[in-house]
Amino acid sequence: MAMALKAGARFKSAVSDTQVMVVKAPPGEHELSCGGVPMVGPNDPSSPGAPDGETLIGKRYVNADESVELLCTKGGKGVLTLNGTPLEIKQAKQLPSSD
């Protein structure tokens, strides 16, 4: 189920406790999934499942070119994917050396 993502939008996993908030989104419609199942709106019903992987509360998840950024507001089971590509935890940028 492709949907338009916009900053501030909230989604929850349909199969686990995972909840995310969109921080940065690319234009157009995309499929955001957790545990292989499309994510739903915060008030939509969910059904428990047992997906692989885990999302961690407070972590930011990005794609390879960092055109999308999600903040995990509630951790749970399942790997976050955008259009079938797994998202990775955003790494902190290194500060320049002060030698």
Side-chain angles (χ1 to χ4, degrees):
M1 177 173 78
M3 62 184 120
L5 302 176
K6 63 179 185 177
R10 294 177 178 266
F11 297 96
K12 71 176 187 179
S13 172
V15 293
S16 73
D17 293 333
T18 300
Q19 294 183 15
V20 298
M21 182 175 75
V22 178
V23 176
K24 185 166 90 176
E29 293 194 351
H30 303 277
E31 183 172 311
L32 180 61
S33 300
C34 181
V37 178
M39 296 187 84
V40 295
N43 297 322
D44 293 334
S46 60
S47 58
D52 292 333
E54 184 175 14
T55 54
L56 302 173
I57 189 169
K59 296 293 183 184
R60 293 174 182 258
Y61 290 84
V62 294
N63 59 354
D65 63 359
E66 296 192 10
S67 61
V68 66
E69 183 173 329
L70 305 174
L71 173 63
C72 181
T73 57
K74 187 173 183 182
K77 295 287 184 184
V79 175
L80 294 171
T81 60
L82 181 72
N83 300 324
T85 303
L87 300 178
E88 307 216 357
I89 293 176
K90 184 176 183 178
Q91 300 299 317
K93 293 181 180 176
Q94 291 190 352
L95 297 173
S97 175
S98 61
D99 289 340

